Amino acid sequence: MTMNGTRGYYSGLVDLATGLISREIFVNGDIYAQEQERVFARSWLFVGHESQIPNPGDFFASRMGEESVILCRDRVGSVHVFLNSCRHRGMKVCRYDDGNTTVFTCPYHGWSYGTDGALVGVPFFREAYHSELDKSKYSLVEVAQLCCYKGTVWANWDASAPPFLEYLGEFRRFLDLILDGWDGREGQVELLGGVQKWIIPCNWKWPAENFSGDTYHNISHRSVDLVGAGPSGRSRRDYNELAATRKLHVTIPDRGHQTITYVLPKDHPPQAVYQNSPEVAEYFRHCEEERRRRPGANSRLIGAPGEVFPNLALLPRQPRTLAVWHPKSAHETEVWRFFFVDRDAPQQVKNFLRDYYIRYSGPAGMTEQDDMENWNYAHAASRGVIARRHPYTYEMGMGHAVENYEWDGLRVPGRVVDLTKAMASEEPMRNLYRRWAQFMEADSWDELMTWRRDALREAEAAE
Amino acid sequence: MSDPINIRDLAVGSRIVLGSGAEVEIVSNPKDGVWLFARYLASADDPAIVGQEEMIFAQDVVEVRS
């Protein structure tokens, strides 16, 4: 009999040679505490969208891992992300979800900060501090790195991490599928409505794994397919246009990002979609024609669920949404779901999509409810001392991924599993947990940026 | 001790008196109930400060003049 360890992470819990992964990485509180430092404090994390803070003074209270942060636009229009914690005694200086302000004032002792993070107000500065406090030392703590990419805002606490686009690597084109306009123009989306937030009783890695590209669980959504919750009244999505495609799992091994994607054949005409509304159907038909006319390989890719390491899920198409799996404890996750729409789409299209999106996703979404049933009960059933002795298997399709995948003249980056016949694989999950284990074991970003070492070796070999 | 003044209700242009006796005019109110932005109109303790703008702490406000 193997006794459960009470210690934290150790090498071997993620065994990709056998495809076995210990349940401890999902339920162990010590491992959870370690991953806050080793994963979340070093990774690029999604914070929000610039359309949430269009004007000077606008702010949106967000999260990075367990930490509360403030995304705001200062008086001169620059975007900042600050730790939402007063430098005096740590109280939250912003307790609203969003709004507009000139200052963030701590309600505890009254310290006050400008929207650029500078400490501007200290009660009894002359009297009690005798004007001796160096205010410049006590600005709000700002993230080490910030990147605004096609409207999305990303931040990183680690100054030694690579720039965001290098972190993203070749996964960028898959993220573009959600951020570019449906007609192919760059960065044309805006947030639709508010952010849906709710708490689920499971570890954050359950939804992260699911959205990495778990096609094996489609049986869970059978009832939604039977109801016909999709935008054409059949199934839960429009599948007609997928009949001619190749369905792929794409993983970017040295980055830890992965997705499902569909590749259209060359010169494939737009198919009928969104048939529940003639106006919406016409909008997407027009956009699809425009997209095909624009140069670039993305016109032949159809987006599907994917994951930017560690905790950002993308669903570029139906529905079009980003979700963040904020860790709360080993056993709790706070989900934030952002819905997107083409900024200049007709209001009728936005209304239709809003109804479809919330019918599909979010706490009241039919498909997301299916998923939550699985994650929450699987997590609960994995916490016991007996359950924890038995690892999960991730053996499906091991050794069947290929590099330099090409179909009908389109090369796809990363390691690829063709699901058109295989139906499912667990390559994306292995990719996620390989990267997670690397973060848990590496002491610095130098160890994590394997691609830089490879490039250096290649350059030296070429000399 | 006088009753506390709810500075959230004070409009831009209002004149107030501080604990030091200085008189200031409100130039901006973030309405957080803690701070005001104001310009000094008179200050017996420190005449050099007249004309300057400063953040005024709520507990410093002792009287509303207009």
Side-chain angles (χ1 to χ4, degrees):
Chain A
M1 181 189 298
T2 304
M3 300 293 284
N4 293 322
T6 53
R7 57 188 165 165
Y9 176 83
Y10 59 91
S11 185
L13 290 176
V14 175
D15 185 353
L16 294 174
T18 62
L20 299 180
I21 295 180
S22 170
R23 300 187 191 206
E24 292 289 335
I25 76 165
F26 296 89
V27 300
N28 185 305
D30 292 336
I31 293 175
Y32 172 83
Q34 287 173 304
E35 69 186 1
Q36 300 314 304
E37 177 84 34
R38 302 189 79 88
V39 176
F40 288 95
R42 300 197 289 183
S43 296
W44 279 95
L45 302 173
F46 174 78
V47 177
H49 193 268
E50 285 191 83
S51 62
Q52 295 176 278
I53 50 164
N55 302 309
D58 285 350
F59 68 86
F60 169 66
S62 188
R63 290 182 53 154
M64 292 175 68
E66 289 184 324
E67 324 257 13
S68 175
V69 298
I70 306 166
L71 165 64
C72 73
R73 192 178 293 278
D74 70 18
R75 293 202 296 185
V76 297
S78 299
V79 175
H80 300 270
V81 175
F82 302 113
L83 187 68
N84 186 7
S85 179
C86 182
R87 295 296 301 275
H88 180 238
R89 287 295 180 274
M91 176 67 184
K92 280 187 175 181
V93 298
C94 177
R95 294 187 297 165
Y96 296 93
D97 289 342
D98 53 56
N100 184 281
T101 189
T102 50
V103 287
F104 296 105
T105 298
C106 177
Y108 195 175
H109 299 96
W111 280 31
S112 189
Y113 303 86
T115 49
D116 60 355
L119 176 60
V120 291
V122 174
F124 309 128
F125 177 72
R126 291 196 189 90
E127 300 88 341
Y129 280 103
H130 307 281
S131 301
E132 293 166 352
L133 181 74
D134 183 356
K135 291 183 193 171
S136 68
K137 286 166 57 181
Y138 296 105
S139 299
L140 288 175
V141 176
E142 189 157 14
V143 293
Q145 296 191 66
L146 179 81
C147 180
C148 298
Y149 179 66
K150 294 188 175 180
T152 51
V153 183
W154 304 75
N156 196 317
W157 294 114
D158 192 335
S160 68
F164 175 67
L165 290 181
E166 184 178 345
Y167 177 91
L168 207 52
E170 291 191 281
F171 199 75
R172 177 177 176 173
R173 67 191 301 177
F174 300 104
L175 183 61
D176 285 348
L177 287 170
I178 188 169
L179 303 181
D180 290 341
W182 207 255
D183 60 4
R185 288 180 295 157
E186 285 204 358
Q188 294 294 309
V189 300
E190 66 179 9
L191 197 65
L192 180 63
V195 180
Q196 293 194 336
K197 305 172 182 177
W198 72 104
I199 294 170
I200 53 177
C202 69
N203 188 276
W204 67 272
K205 291 189 285 298
W206 282 105
E209 165 182 324
N210 189 101
F211 273 81
S212 286
D214 182 352
T215 60
Y216 200 39
H217 81 287
N218 277 347
I219 188 64
S220 296
H221 301 307
R222 188 73 173 165
S223 58
V224 186
D225 288 334
L226 291 171
V227 166
S232 294
R234 298 184 306 277
S235 195
R236 65 184 190 277
R237 296 187 182 122
D238 286 315
Y239 284 112
N240 283 347
E241 61 182 319
L242 306 182
T245 65
R246 306 300 287 192
K247 183 179 182 181
L248 309 178
H249 267 158
V250 181
T251 67
I252 310 296
D254 53 5
R255 305 302 207 275
H257 318 310
Q258 50 279 326
T259 188
I260 303 166
T261 196
Y262 298 87
V263 182
L264 288 161
K266 279 180 189 164
D267 305 321
H268 188 69
Q271 303 293 297
V273 291
Y274 296 93
Q275 295 296 291
N276 276 355
S277 163
E279 292 81 6
V280 179
E282 172 56 23
Y283 175 77
F284 279 96
R285 188 200 60 75
H286 170 75
C287 287
E288 285 290 348
E289 285 185 354
E290 289 294 307
R291 199 156 83 102
R292 281 161 171 74
R293 272 198 277 271
R294 290 181 200 280
N298 264 9
S299 63
R300 289 183 54 198
L301 293 179
I302 296 177
E307 186 84 9
V308 176
F309 185 86
N311 67 332
L312 187 277
L314 56 132
L315 224 174
R317 185 171 159 272
Q318 289 184 332
R320 195 172 181 185
T321 167
L322 294 174
V324 192
W325 321 114
H326 294 297
K328 271 184 81 73
S329 77
H331 313 298
E332 267 192 329
T333 300
E334 188 164 323
V335 184
W336 287 19
R337 190 166 279 291
F338 301 70
F339 295 109
F340 291 94
V341 67
D342 286 348
R343 189 163 50 224
D344 53 6
Q347 190 60 44
Q348 192 174 4
V349 170
K350 294 181 180 179
N351 293 343
F352 180 94
L353 292 175
R354 184 186 60 241
D355 290 349
Y356 169 53
Y357 289 174
I358 61 177
R359 190 163 71 237
Y360 191 109
S361 293
M366 297 170 74
T367 310
E368 195 119 53
Q369 289 182 45
D370 293 337
D371 288 331
M372 290 188 285
E373 289 280 301
N374 293 327
W375 307 334
N376 300 347
Y377 283 89
H379 183 90
S382 296
R383 291 180 64 172
V385 293
I386 303 302
R388 288 160 75 155
R389 293 174 187 165
H390 302 281
Y392 302 137
T393 169
Y394 292 83
E395 296 165 82
M396 187 191 300
M398 280 176 67
H400 292 275
V402 299
E403 292 180 356
N404 300 313
Y405 180 92
E406 187 173 329
W407 182 66
D408 199 16
L410 181 69
R411 194 191 78 80
V412 178
R415 289 176 59 78
V416 173
V417 177
D418 192 331
L419 301 174
T420 315
K421 285 185 180 172
M423 306 300 290
S425 87
E426 287 170 342
E427 187 72 16
M429 297 79 185
R430 290 190 292 273
N431 198 56
L432 169 68
Y433 294 121
R434 179 187 301 110
R435 193 59 172 159
W436 179 84
Q438 288 170 352
F439 267 78
M440 294 297 281
E441 294 176 21
D443 289 328
S444 74
W445 258 105
D446 284 341
E447 294 174 55
L448 291 165
M449 290 187 286
T450 54
W451 60 89
R452 286 193 184 177
R453 289 204 301 273
D454 295 343
L456 189 63
R457 264 198 299 271
E458 285 170 19
E460 287 171 351
E463 284 177 1
Chain B
M1 188 176 170
S2 58
D3 289 338
I5 295 165
N6 184 357
I7 67 166
R8 284 169 56 95
D9 294 339
L10 299 181
V12 170
S14 299
R15 294 183 173 198
I16 55 179
V17 179
L18 308 183
S20 64
E23 184 174 353
V24 300
E25 180 182 14
I26 298 172
V27 296
S28 171
N29 186 348
K31 301 201 174 202
D32 59 10
V34 181
W35 292 100
L36 295 165
F37 293 83
R39 182 172 50 250
Y40 277 85
L41 302 175
S43 173
D45 288 353
D46 184 7
I49 205 169
V50 172
Q52 290 185 22
E53 287 187 13
E54 273 206 358
M55 292 178 72
I56 305 299
F57 189 47
Q59 288 177 235
D60 267 350
V61 180
V62 296
E63 182 186 342
V64 180
R65 283 266 163 87
S66 62

